[in-house]
């Protein structure tokens, strides 16, 4: 295209330089990542984790397989066993999770498993830095999942969503808040 | 696999012709797109685009996923306008089963969809500047986009793959601090857009690189099935939000920016103006947004009756269409996507033939393609 701007051709570059100069004196918006981490939002969806019931000292999960059927990538497996604590009448869960594995390499962090679970047993934790050296290093089993869950419960003062709903309608009993540094295993 | 020998030798070719393979990992192709260029000196005499490097079989996968799981696949079509993709799919299924979603959910969808449009256009402006050699605008554009994504994260929990629009409404209501966040965001976003606009739009170097380059005529654009900002840059006032208002778009007052020349600069400038319009839509939607529920179906398994439906919507890149056939089961029988990027890309061969190699990069950048949607 013919531009008969003549001597003004440089004006744009000078204006651009001026912007650069102005930004030099501004506070940087970048965070130096490995040294300083940005806080994530409360709703942030990291990798899924299983929660721990501090009242009964057992996982919430009953291995009912609902989340496993609903997962779009089929990245979970689980199996159940009879709950010993139920026979001792300490727990209301007749069955309890025996084995649980999630292949986090395949998980797409969609959050569907959390939505479909009826037992508040699975949460989207805030963990997202899970790169490992081995190819299958991100296949996490029950113990690791519960650890992730406990960390999440402690950091966010997690209250089971079903209790949250109950509390908003009737508030006679204080909700169970997971105690900060007590591990049940 | 196409080899170099398959490229037709035109009559005008001389022994000085050279074959240049651009892509699939070339930074200016915005993804994995490959062009085989035959060049004579600096001029492209023949171009052969190759697509399919990012083919993931999304359409086939929808046939083995339940209706609510398909939303996660729609996120990954055009990964720069995730909310818009989810939206059109959810509307298609909602039409199939005949539910009306609550008003509040409609308004929230409009707000998030329009913000997504701004984020997508901001990315376009940044990378388009980068294609031409302007390094600064991309920093400003990404800063603005980052703010929008921060808001998305607080709403849906994810920055890009949200899975937030569900069949029958939304996953959950907005977070409590949303109204504060968004009023701040709009203020800053307007500044960001104005700053990028000031920096780039009428910069002499930018204008001389883009004005008059890659001109497409109105008729040719229509013939190729162009939609979106590319078509509007040729002077066709076509926007699905106005021509067939869906959702609650008929309640807002907004203009459809058009320009006349149909060159690269026009395609750029239409998008800049569109961002201001989107901001005004967001502001109006925030004012009118009612209280109430956001979902009518909950997490129920969806089994639409035997039927088919075609639903279209205005994505940042043009008109997206979803053709969905249901056979009465809980999985779609067939889902066909009409991707705007693919149709816009189809005119590339015509556009870059007889242009300079450096301009070919500019022209491809101005089409604003997303390979995830072209290849699906
Ligand atoms: S996490 Fe919930 S849905 Fe999944 S198996 Fe355990 S109890 Fe069932
Ligand atoms: S977040 Fe999605 S992909 Fe990951 S385990 Fe849950 S349902 Fe499966």
């Amino acid at each position: 295209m013919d531009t008969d701007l003549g001597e003004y051709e440089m004006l744009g570059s000078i204006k651009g330089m001026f912007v650069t100069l102005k930004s030099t004196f501004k506070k940087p918006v970048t965070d130096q990542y490995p040294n300083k981490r940005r806080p994530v939002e409360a709703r942030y969806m990291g990798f899924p984790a299983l929660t721990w019931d501090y009242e009964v000292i057992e996982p919430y999960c009953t291995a009912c397989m609902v989340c496993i059927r609903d997962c779009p990538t089929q990245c979970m497996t689980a199996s159940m066993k009879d709950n010993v604590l139920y026979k001792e009448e300490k727990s209301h869960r007749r069955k309890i999770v025996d084995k649980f594995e999630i292949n986090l390499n395949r998980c797409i962090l969609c959050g569907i498993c959390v939505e479909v679970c009826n037992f508040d047993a699975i949460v989207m934790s805030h963990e997202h830095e899970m790169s490992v050296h081995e190819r299958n290093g991100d296949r996490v089993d029950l113990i690791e999942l519960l650890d992730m869950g406990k960390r999440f419960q402690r950091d966010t003062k997690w209250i089971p969503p079903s209790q949250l709903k109950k509390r908003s309608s009737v508030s006679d009993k204080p909700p169970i808040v997971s105690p900060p540094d007590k591990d049940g295993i | 696999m196409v080899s170099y020998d398959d490229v037709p030798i035109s009559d005008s070719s001389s022994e000085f012709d050279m074959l240049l393979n651009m892509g699939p990992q070339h930074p200016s192709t915005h993804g994995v797109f490959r062009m085989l260029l035959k060049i004579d000196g600096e001029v492209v005499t023949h171009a052969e685009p190759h697509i399919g490097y990012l083919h993931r079989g999304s359409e086939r996968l929808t046939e083995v996923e339940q209706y609510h799981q398909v939303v996660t696949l729609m996120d990954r079509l055009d990964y720069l306008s995730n909310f818009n993709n989810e939206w059109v799919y959810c509307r298609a299924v909602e039409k199939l089963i005949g539910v009306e979603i609550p008003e509040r959910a409609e308004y929230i969808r409009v707000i998030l969809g329009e913000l997504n449009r701004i984020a997508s256009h901001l990315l376009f402006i940044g990378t388009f500047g980068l294609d031409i050699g302007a390094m600064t605008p991309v920093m400003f554009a990404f800063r603005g986009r980052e703010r929008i994504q921060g808001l998305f994260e607080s709403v849906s929990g994810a920055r890009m793959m949200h899975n937030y629009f569900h069949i029958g409404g939304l996953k959950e209501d907005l977070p409590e601090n949303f109204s504060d966040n968004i009023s701040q965001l709009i203020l800053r976003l307007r500044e960001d857009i104005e700053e990028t606009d000031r920096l780039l739009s009428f910069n002499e170097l930018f204008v001389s690189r883009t004005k008059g380059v890659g001109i497409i005529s109105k008729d040719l654009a229509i013939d190729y099935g162009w939609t979106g900002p590319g078509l509007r840059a040729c002077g066709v006032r076509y926007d699905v939000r106005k021509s067939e208002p869906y959702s609650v778009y008929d309640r807002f007052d907004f203009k459809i920016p058009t320009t006349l020349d149909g060159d690269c600069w026009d395609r750029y400038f239409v998008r800049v103006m569109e961002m201001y319009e989107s901001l005004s839509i967001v502001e109006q939607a925030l004012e009118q947004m009612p209280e109430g529920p956001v979902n009518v179906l909950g997490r129920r398994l969806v089994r639409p009756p035997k039927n088919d439906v075609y639903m279209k919507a205005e994505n940042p890149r043009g008109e997206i269409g979803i053709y969905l056939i249901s056979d009465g089961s809980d999985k779609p029988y067939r889902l066909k996507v009409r991707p705007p990027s693919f149709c816009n890309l189809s005119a590339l061969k015509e556009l870059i033939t007889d242009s300079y190699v450096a301009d070919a990069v500019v022209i491809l950048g101005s089409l604003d393609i997303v390979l995830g949607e072209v290849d699906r």
Side-chain angles (χ1 to χ4, degrees):
Chain A
M1 190 188 114
D2 284 338
T3 42
D4 41 348
L5 295 157
E7 63 207 72
Y8 299 108
E9 282 238 319
M10 287 305 290
L11 209 62
S13 336
I14 291 167
K15 260 195 269 171
M17 296 285 184
F18 187 64
V19 172
T20 317
L21 195 69
K22 250 192 343 198
S23 326
T24 318
F25 301 108
K26 274 192 198 153
K27 204 169 138 273
V29 290
T30 10
D31 288 328
Q32 297 301 324
Y33 164 60
N35 306 325
K36 184 168 178 282
R37 285 176 165 77
R38 276 195 177 175
V40 290
E41 300 283 345
R43 280 190 185 180
Y44 180 77
M45 293 198 290
F47 287 106
L50 295 179
T51 50
W52 184 256
D53 191 342
Y54 284 97
E55 270 209 336
V56 196
I57 327 272
E58 67 178 9
Y60 274 98
C61 179
T62 57
C64 67
M65 309 291 280
V66 168
C67 60
I68 291 151
R69 273 199 308 271
D70 266 279
C71 174
T73 57
Q74 286 104 37
C75 62
M76 313 196 249
T77 49
S79 64
M80 63 166 72
K81 63 178 180 198
D82 285 336
N83 193 357
V84 193
L85 290 178
Y86 178 76
K87 286 200 196 96
E88 296 167 13
E89 293 186 352
K90 282 184 192 145
S91 162
H92 59 277
R93 296 182 186 87
R94 204 183 294 248
K95 301 278 183 186
I96 198 86
V97 59
D98 180 25
K99 288 196 192 94
F100 203 105
E101 188 187 280
I102 305 186
N103 187 347
L104 295 182
N105 288 330
R106 280 179 73 172
C107 173
I108 54 171
L109 310 182
C110 63
I112 287 182
C113 48
V114 179
E115 282 165 52
V116 294
C117 179
N118 298 316
F119 300 97
D120 310 326
I122 192 162
V123 285
M124 297 307 272
S125 72
H126 288 176
E127 318 246 342
H128 53 281
E129 294 156 322
M130 297 213 38
S131 25
V132 284
H133 288 289
E134 304 86 47
R135 183 180 166 86
N136 275 333
D138 270 337
R139 295 178 76 131
V140 286
D141 58 5
L142 183 63
I143 313 245
E144 264 176 272
L145 284 169
L146 285 171
D147 276 350
M148 281 163 70
K150 279 178 199 158
R151 237 173 299 153
F152 175 77
Q153 279 169 289
R154 190 186 58 216
D155 293 346
T156 59
K157 311 233 169 2
W158 182 77
I159 302 166
S162 56
Q163 294 229 357
L164 217 56
K165 269 180 215 136
K166 249 186 255 158
R167 192 163 56 130
S168 57
S169 49
V170 270
S171 58
D172 47 348
K173 209 173 130 198
I176 311 156
V177 183
S178 42
D181 298 311
K182 198 181 113 201
D183 275 6
I185 276 190
Chain B
M1 202 69 210
V2 182
S3 73
Y4 287 91
D5 301 335
D6 295 341
V7 180
I9 310 282
S10 61
D11 298 336
S12 63
S13 71
S14 65
E15 56 184 302
F16 304 112
D17 274 2
M18 187 179 125
L19 277 181
L20 184 71
N21 191 18
M22 223 169 132
Q25 266 91 27
H26 195 279
S28 78
T29 55
H30 301 281
V32 279
F33 173 68
R34 174 165 160 246
M35 278 190 292
L36 214 48
L37 304 177
K38 192 137 75 93
I39 50 178
D40 179 10
E42 271 287 297
V43 182
V44 179
T45 54
H46 189 90
E48 197 65 40
H50 292 294
I51 59 169
Y53 288 90
L54 203 58
H55 177 70
R56 297 152 299 173
S58 302
E59 285 180 6
R60 175 69 182 87
L61 269 177
T62 58
E63 294 162 23
V64 295
E65 303 275 19
Q66 289 170 354
Y67 279 95
H68 66 272
Q69 296 172 335
V70 173
V71 181
T72 61
L73 288 168
M74 293 296 120
D75 270 334
R76 287 157 176 81
L77 282 183
D78 175 354
Y79 40 77
L80 297 179
S81 57
N82 320 66
F83 275 132
N84 294 290
N85 294 340
E86 289 177 17
W87 192 3
V88 64
Y89 168 75
C90 289
R91 276 176 54 228
V93 184
E94 279 151 13
K95 174 130 190 241
L96 215 49
I97 50 181
V99 294
E100 290 257 321
I101 71 163
E103 283 231 323
R104 186 179 169 81
E106 291 278 18
Y107 276 97
I108 294 173
R109 283 182 180 188
V110 168
I111 291 169
L112 295 176
E114 290 301 324
L115 282 176
N116 216 164
R117 188 184 310 276
I118 299 173
S120 165
H121 284 350
L122 273 175
L123 188 95
F124 162 76
I125 286 170
T127 52
F128 189 48
L130 213 56
D131 282 341
I132 284 159
M135 297 296 287
T136 320
V138 72
M139 307 289 170
F140 288 97
F142 261 82
R143 191 184 55 187
R145 181 167 178 268
E146 185 62 40
R147 290 190 177 131
I148 301 178
Q149 283 190 318
L151 184 89
F152 287 171
E153 186 187 321
S154 75
V155 172
S156 71
R159 294 159 60 79
M160 286 176 85
M161 307 302 166
H162 311 288
N163 191 18
Y164 182 66
F165 292 180
H166 281 185
I167 297 154
L170 304 170
K171 182 173 166 188
E172 51 192 334
D173 207 344
L174 296 170
E176 275 155 19
N177 55 359
F178 180 77
S179 53
D180 296 343
N181 282 355
I182 194 159
S183 49
Q184 268 204 6
L185 176 82
I186 289 175
L187 277 182
R188 288 183 164 185
L189 214 51
R190 182 154 280 140
E191 281 171 24
D192 281 349
I193 298 171
E194 274 167 8
E195 194 165 19
T196 324
D197 187 10
R198 251 203 325 273
L199 195 63
L200 202 57
S201 294
F202 293 99
N203 181 306
E204 290 83 355
L205 298 175
F206 179 73
V207 172
S208 57
R209 276 300 300 280
T210 54
K211 194 75 198 162
V213 173
I215 298 177
I216 188 166
S217 70
K218 201 172 172 173
D219 298 333
L220 195 62
I222 293 171
D223 283 352
Y224 271 115
W226 272 33
T227 43
L231 182 67
R232 291 196 279 277
C234 315
V236 185
R237 200 171 289 269
Y238 175 71
D239 187 318
V240 185
R241 291 176 293 172
K242 274 276 192 216
S243 62
E244 286 171 50
Y246 54 91
S247 187
V248 286
Y249 273 117
D250 47 355
R251 300 183 198 170
F252 306 125
D253 175 30
F254 64 100
K255 288 193 274 306
I256 302 174
T258 48
T259 51
L260 289 173
D261 293 351
D263 53 20
C264 289
W265 189 83
D266 281 12
R267 289 198 275 277
Y268 158 84
F269 200 61
V270 163
R271 287 185 167 96
V272 173
M273 289 193 289
E274 242 174 49
M275 288 200 289
Y276 292 115
E277 294 301 323
S278 289
L279 266 185
S280 98
I281 295 176
V282 172
E283 275 169 344
Q284 291 171 43
L286 278 172
E287 251 168 45
Q288 302 175 11
M289 187 162 71
E291 291 294 319
V294 292
N295 200 319
V296 284
L297 287 181
R299 216 48 237 176
R300 220 175 302 153
L301 194 65
V302 181
R303 275 184 208 279
K306 247 186 197 172
N307 210 339
D308 58 343
V309 64
Y310 181 77
M311 192 57 86
K312 56 185 177 178
E314 187 72 21
N315 255 26
R317 273 160 204 80
E319 176 193 320
I320 188 171
I322 296 263
Y323 180 56
L324 183 62
I325 307 177
S326 151
D327 60 354
S329 71
D330 56 352
K331 291 165 185 163
Y333 176 74
R334 174 83 168 96
L335 189 147
K336 169 86 181 82
V337 183
R338 180 231 184 258
S341 295
F342 178 74
C343 298
N344 294 357
L345 183 66
S346 58
L348 180 75
K349 197 170 166 180
E350 191 127 355
L351 282 178
I352 59 176
T353 310
D354 296 330
S355 73
Y356 291 120
V357 178
D359 285 347
V361 173
V362 178
I363 293 167
L364 179 63
S366 77
L367 297 182
D368 190 19
I369 51 162
V370 167
L371 264 299
E373 192 182 50
V374 174
D375 296 342
R376 275 160 288 147

